[in-house]
Amino acid sequence: MKFYTIYLALLIPIVFIQCKQTATHEINIIPKPHEYVVSKGTFKINNKTKIVVLNNSLTPLAHFLTDQIYKVSGLTLNVAAEYTENNNNIILGYDNNLGEEEYKLIIEKKVHIEASNYNSAAMAAATLMQLINITEDQVGFPNISISDKPDYKYRSVMLDLARFWHPMETVKEIIDLLWFYKIKYLHLHLSDNRRFTFPLDAFPNLKTVNEDGSREYYTLEELEYLVEYARKRGVTIIPEIDLPGHSTQLWSKYPEVFGSIDPKTNKPKTLYVINMAKEETYKAVELIINQLAKVFYTSPYIHIGGDEVYLQPIKELPEYKTYCKKQGLKAALAGNANELFCHFINRLNGMVKKTGKKTIVWEGFHNTGAGDVQIDKDITVIVWNTTYNHPENLLNNGFEIINSTWIPWYQVEAMNFAPNPEIAYDWDLGDWTHWEDDIEDIQLSSKKGILGAQISFWEQNYNKVIEVLKDRVPVLSERLWNNENSTDYINYHKRFISTNSTYDKLFMPIEIKGTQLINKEGFHFEDKTDIIISAKGKGYIKYAYSNQWGLPSEYLTYTEPFEIKNSGLITAQLFDESNKAIGYPVQQYITKIEPIYNYKVYESTHEANKIPDFSTSRLLREGVTGKMNNVRLKEINRDLFAKVKKEGHIDTRFEGLYNPYGLELLGNLEIPSDGSYQWQLQTWDGLAELYIDGKLICKGENFKNEPEFFTVNFKEGNYPFQIKYFYKNIQNQLSILYRKEGDGNYNHFEELVVPLK
């Protein structure tokens, strides 16, 4: 060890002096390093290359690195514990003189990684894998010297595991994505009204089970496995149990502990929060916090929730006044239950600190507290909505905060809400932007006290996680890592194309295609399609075809394209010669449709309150879309809480496009007979217009999810039609119904539409 330290001390200055004489070139690394110098030449590796660890604690990282190199190159590197004068080495070691997340990567005759700790060494390994270059005759890394560290220490992604169930493979895949782009934390939202996914032996009824009997909670062994899986990659998991609100599972299933029982019905009272006025509740919550601290031992934080708290029902409990009087909560006794809420947060903060960790809460309390209770200043606040508390107020009063603004860092699948990466790249740490027009944008000049930022991904099905995050996580990483030099999106995107290609080879090494698809974007076919599955690396492919979502338990070996004639889910996985999976399963849903519309999707804004002028709007996509059917409706509703009805519903969703946008649908319809026709138009958070034969028939004027009615006379015949639609923020829903005057029920507009040839 002493020899290694002396050797590097002599070597590093020589390398940097030599590199200063060469030109600095662009390199494909995200986030962009602070300091780097590129030299001529390549360090080539082969099966004789060794990864040398100069500290035993780095051995797991060395084995992880060998696995990644093997996946993309087929080379098997050995791990050694002793340094030798062999030039064909990748050396991992520590340098105590470096800062907390600082590392140095030097590639010349050897590869040297020096880091302050295990996590920063893992980040250096991610940089190394982004640099790997594979050609037909060699595998290697460009000669380069990098000295790097992040601008902001809190770089995080939150995953909502409580609204929709996520298999272990999805959580592991997101951990690998975070490692690859140097995101430090994975925040797991483990509980909400629908599910409590953290197992507690003391409260077994919290273990939620699906309608089909399948488990929708994680075992302790699974969570402990995830903690170690993340630790080996330099990622730390932060657990969250959302309290006191978002807690229906607690107060409804164990009202004697977390809630209150109605003596008249002997059923749980609807509180919307756990019972903060009962000692039994606090004892049970402390048990939960202690268990979280034990399982997630690597995390410096525990997140206790603290947002969207409805307090009126708790004031009506008989124990409310007794508890508030005992605790000296005068404002709460006078009716201001926010004082009890703030007392609750502080009391839980004390429990968290007893475990040796720090408390994080969502922005949810007002000002700095309520009544005589001031929120403890050692609590970190994630500011997301800015309506409960202004970030400047929190900073001025001594709180440390984290930015998770709606635009661009909130991703809400049930809202089809995922601001695009280019918008995200223009964001700055002091910026908060809301999707609601009447909430003002915030731009803080001083960033002092802002620890960093977080992508918060809510209400998503497991299959949407990587689809959305793989384009957005690298943007967050770059803006928090090297903020001053993150100014050119075009340059960033060029680098992203390269890193994304490497990521796919490592973790998504399968591509699924279909023949006879209707559009370039989206997997829609009319009659039948042949499925073609290809690998991005060496190995053999297995696949499964099903009409249900989920990861299959059995696969078939893929040898040639196969034909399908019905909608369904294709799952494909790459395996090596020893039958070990390479990367993760890749899934693609293929939808059979009856084409009836030509469509064009246009760019719009959240601020717009009318249908955009399509003649001046940027065209995002065009193609053909189909008639609503039961299979497609089921797929739409799978992602929603507020389900859409089939009656009159028109498909206005397009894979990979997120709100807001404008839509134009064109086609022909057949009026069956002369007469007066009544039309019912309904949108939710959008507007629509229907033109028939060039004439405006229906003009929507409200965003309130209320039907609007119109009556027009028609002659029998075939007419061209145009639908203009604008979808703004939350619920993407367009419904058009019709009936001839004198008829009873309304009919779906699409019954009139003539199929496209």
Side-chain angles (χ1 to χ4, degrees):
M1 184 65 184
K2 290 181 179 178
F3 169 78
Y4 170 69
T5 304
I6 295 170
Y7 177 82
L8 282 184
L10 293 172
L11 175 66
I12 291 171
I14 295 172
V15 171
F16 275 101
I17 290 170
Q18 289 175 336
C19 290
K20 285 180 180 178
Q21 297 173 356
T22 65
T24 299
H25 304 285
E26 189 57 69
I27 52 171
N28 295 319
I29 299 175
I30 295 176
K32 190 174 185 177
H34 278 272
E35 298 179 18
Y36 66 93
V37 181
V38 181
S39 302
K40 293 181 180 179
T42 299
F43 173 76
K44 301 175 185 178
I45 62 174
N46 52 45
N47 284 321
K48 295 182 180 180
T49 303
K50 293 182 179 180
I51 298 183
V52 179
V53 292
L54 300 178
N55 188 297
N56 288 336
S57 67
L58 289 168
T59 301
L61 179 61
H63 286 291
F64 172 67
L65 187 55
T66 62
D67 289 343
Q68 307 318 304
I69 292 173
Y70 169 76
K71 284 195 289 187
V72 295
S73 70
L75 296 177
T76 302
L77 277 59
N78 292 320
V79 175
E82 294 183 2
Y83 176 79
T84 64
E85 281 292 341
N86 181 358
N87 283 335
N88 199 7
N89 285 335
I90 298 173
I91 304 169
L92 308 182
Y94 292 134
D95 183 346
N96 295 331
N97 295 317
L98 297 176
E100 181 183 352
E101 292 190 274
E102 189 174 3
Y103 73 87
K104 291 182 179 179
L105 171 62
I106 302 166
I107 305 174
E108 195 181 38
K109 294 180 180 180
K110 301 177 179 66
V111 174
H112 296 272
I113 289 177
E114 286 186 289
S116 57
N117 54 41
Y118 185 97
N119 288 1
S120 53
M123 291 187 291
T127 300
L128 185 66
M129 286 308 303
Q130 289 187 11
L131 287 169
I132 197 166
N133 183 33
I134 301 171
T135 62
E136 290 185 4
D137 57 351
Q138 72 175 36
V139 179
F141 305 96
N143 288 347
I144 191 171
S145 298
I146 297 174
S147 180
D148 207 12
K149 61 181 179 180
D151 290 340
Y152 298 100
K153 64 181 182 180
Y154 200 96
R155 307 177 306 283
S156 177
V157 170
M158 188 222 76
L159 203 57
D160 181 358
L161 300 182
R163 264 48 174 265
F164 293 98
W165 172 246
H166 289 62
M168 287 281 287
E169 289 298 290
T170 302
V171 185
K172 289 167 58 180
E173 190 170 5
I174 191 66
I175 290 169
D176 282 319
L177 177 68
L178 301 192
W179 161 74
F180 193 69
Y181 288 113
K182 305 183 185 72
I183 298 295
K184 188 174 184 178
Y185 296 118
L186 173 60
H187 166 180
L188 295 183
H189 183 76
L190 294 167
S191 71
D192 215 286
N193 292 325
R194 299 186 75 179
R195 288 176 184 81
F196 199 97
T197 64
F198 184 73
L200 293 166
D201 290 339
F203 305 106
N205 292 340
L206 295 177
K207 296 177 178 179
T208 48
V209 177
N210 203 351
E211 294 176 354
D212 62 5
S214 60
R215 172 170 59 89
E216 292 197 336
Y217 62 90
Y218 300 98
T219 66
L220 285 178
E221 292 76 18
E222 286 174 333
L223 293 174
E224 288 166 351
Y225 172 84
L226 288 175
V227 169
E228 292 306 310
Y229 189 89
R231 185 187 65 80
K232 290 177 181 178
R233 289 152 178 77
V235 177
T236 301
I237 299 179
I238 297 173
E240 178 197 352
I241 298 296
D242 204 348
L243 300 170
H246 293 273
S247 55
T248 300
Q249 293 292 317
L250 293 171
W251 57 257
S252 67
K253 291 183 176 179
Y254 287 96
E256 70 280 8
V257 178
F258 296 102
S260 182
I261 299 174
D262 189 332
K264 295 180 180 179
T265 63
N266 204 33
K267 293 182 179 180
K269 290 184 178 180
T270 302
L271 294 183
Y272 302 105
V273 296
I274 61 172
N275 192 343
M276 298 179 285
K278 188 164 67 174
E279 281 299 329
E280 290 90 337
T281 299
Y282 289 95
K283 291 177 183 178
V285 168
E286 186 160 25
L287 183 150
I288 295 173
I289 288 173
N290 289 339
Q291 190 68 48
L292 286 171
K294 181 179 179 181
V295 173
F296 298 95
Y297 74 98
T298 61
S299 175
Y301 299 101
I302 290 178
H303 196 307
I304 61 170
D307 68 324
E308 298 178 325
V309 176
Y310 180 50
L311 297 171
Q312 183 60 35
I314 198 172
K315 294 194 293 184
E316 300 170 5
L317 298 179
E319 59 266 36
Y320 173 81
K321 289 186 177 180
T322 303
Y323 182 86
C324 292
K325 185 176 181 180
K326 182 179 179 181
Q327 299 295 330
L329 305 177
K330 297 177 183 178
L333 280 169
N336 183 5
N338 279 295
E339 187 180 40
L340 174 61
F341 171 46
C342 294
H343 162 84
F344 174 84
I345 291 175
N346 283 351
R347 191 162 173 184
L348 266 61
N349 181 41
M351 298 175 189
V352 171
K353 288 194 289 187
K354 282 170 63 176
T355 70
K357 300 184 185 297
K358 299 177 182 179
T359 300
I360 299 180
V361 297
W362 297 110
E363 164 214 346
F365 63 87
H366 299 283
N367 199 15
T368 58
D372 294 330
V373 178
Q374 296 295 295
I375 295 292
D376 295 338
K377 297 298 192 297
D378 57 0
I379 294 175
T380 301
V381 183
I382 298 179
V383 181
W384 61 285
N385 209 50
T386 71
T387 55
Y388 299 96
N389 224 316
H390 196 287
E392 193 166 37
N393 172 67
L394 291 166
L395 292 171
N396 289 342
N397 283 283
F399 290 95
E400 290 185 323
I401 67 173
I402 296 158
N403 187 327
S404 192
T405 176
W406 270 96
I407 300 175
W409 301 132
Y410 251 51
Q411 326 290 314
V412 186
E413 182 60 33
M415 291 172 57
N416 196 48
F417 189 92
N420 72 57
E422 190 168 357
I423 290 175
Y425 204 83
D426 286 337
W427 165 87
D428 190 62
L429 187 66
D431 296 349
W432 277 264
T433 303
H434 206 284
W435 59 268
E436 289 197 84
D437 300 343
D438 55 353
I439 298 177
E440 292 185 2
D441 294 349
I442 296 170
Q443 290 183 317
L444 301 183
S445 56
S446 173
K447 315 299 190 302
K448 185 178 180 181
I450 308 178
L451 301 180
Q454 172 173 286
I455 291 175
S456 296
F457 199 178
W458 296 102
E459 301 173 1
Q460 75 290 335
N461 269 302
Y462 77 90
N463 58 294
K464 296 297 179 73
V465 172
I466 293 298
E467 175 187 316
V468 171
L469 291 182
K470 74 192 296 272
D471 292 342
R472 291 162 176 81
V473 164
V475 179
L476 175 74
S477 177
E478 179 141 323
R479 298 300 283 132
L480 293 176
W481 188 278
N482 194 348
N483 188 53
E484 290 186 4
N485 293 322
S486 302
T487 56
D488 183 353
Y489 180 78
I490 294 175
N491 173 273
Y492 159 81
H493 193 257
K494 288 179 180 178
R495 287 180 282 124
F496 172 71
I497 291 172
S498 174
T499 61
N500 189 55
S501 175
T502 303
Y503 173 86
D504 283 350
K505 291 173 184 175
L506 287 168
F507 304 114
M508 299 180 68
I510 290 288
E511 186 172 15
I512 301 173
K513 293 183 178 180
T515 64
Q516 299 173 282
L517 297 179
I518 293 173
N519 300 304
K520 292 180 180 179
E521 296 93 354
F523 282 76
H524 299 142
F525 67 96
E526 182 177 4
D527 181 38
K528 61 183 179 180
T529 179
D530 290 332
I531 301 300
I532 303 168
I533 308 175
S534 58
K536 300 174 184 177
K538 296 179 180 179
Y540 69 97
I541 300 168
K542 291 184 178 182
Y543 77 97
Y545 171 55
S546 171
N547 61 1
Q548 297 290 334
W549 278 97
L551 295 178
S553 57
E554 296 181 356
Y555 288 91
L556 300 173
T557 300
Y558 176 81
T559 56
E560 60 183 1
F562 58 94
E563 180 183 273
I564 64 171
K565 294 184 177 181
N566 295 298
S567 300
L569 177 68
I570 308 296
T571 304
Q573 172 76 66
L574 187 65
F575 292 86
D576 66 12
E577 294 178 354
S578 64
N579 204 35
K580 180 181 178 182
I582 301 174
Y584 293 95
V586 174
Q587 295 189 305
Q588 180 62 57
Y589 198 87
I590 315 290
T591 306
K592 184 175 184 177
I593 65 170
E594 180 184 1
I596 60 173
Y597 304 107
N598 289 297
Y599 77 83
K600 292 183 178 180
V601 181
Y602 297 93
E603 187 175 61
S604 186
T605 67
H606 291 280
E607 292 77 22
N609 286 304
K610 62 180 181 179
I611 295 174
D613 181 354
F614 294 155
S615 66
T616 60
S617 300
R618 182 164 72 99
L619 181 66
L620 299 177
R621 187 181 296 179
E622 61 182 321
V624 173
T625 188
K627 186 176 184 178
M628 181 57 59
N629 57 47
N630 290 332
V631 173
R632 177 59 181 147
L633 187 72
K634 182 179 178 181
E635 279 300 293
I636 291 171
N637 281 329
R638 178 174 172 267
D639 291 331
L640 303 178
F641 293 124
K643 309 296 185 186
V644 298
K645 298 178 181 179
K646 184 179 179 182
E647 292 77 15
H649 187 69
I650 294 172
D651 191 358
T652 54
R653 291 167 169 80
F654 302 90
E655 187 172 338
L657 289 181
Y658 298 92
N659 72 29
Y661 55 75
L663 172 64
E664 182 181 34
L665 298 173
L666 301 170
N668 284 275
L669 56 79
E670 190 77 35
I671 298 294
S673 60
D674 296 356
S676 178
Y677 285 80
Q678 298 173 342
W679 305 85
Q680 178 181 313
L681 175 69
Q682 188 166 349
T683 58
W684 189 349
D685 202 23
L687 295 174
E689 296 173 351
L690 171 62
Y691 296 80
I692 298 179
D693 202 24
K695 299 176 182 178
L696 179 60
I697 303 302
C698 307
K699 181 179 176 62
E701 294 184 340
N702 74 64
F703 291 88
K704 300 177 181 178
N705 193 28
E706 297 172 349
E708 299 174 84
F709 299 92
F710 309 87
T711 301
V712 181
N713 292 324
F714 279 100
K715 294 283 187 180
E716 177 184 345
N718 186 289
Y719 297 90
F721 71 84
Q722 176 192 35
I723 298 172
K724 292 183 178 181
Y725 173 64
F726 161 56
Y727 162 44
K728 188 175 182 181
N729 284 317
I730 300 178
Q731 190 75 4
N732 183 357
Q733 186 168 328
L734 169 63
S735 172
I736 303 178
L737 296 163
Y738 83 95
R739 69 179 178 185
K740 189 176 181 182
E741 189 173 356
D743 291 348
N745 297 327
Y746 278 91
N747 305 299
H748 197 310
F749 167 79
E750 291 181 347
E751 292 183 10
L752 299 175
V753 179
V754 179
L756 296 177
K757 295 181 180 179

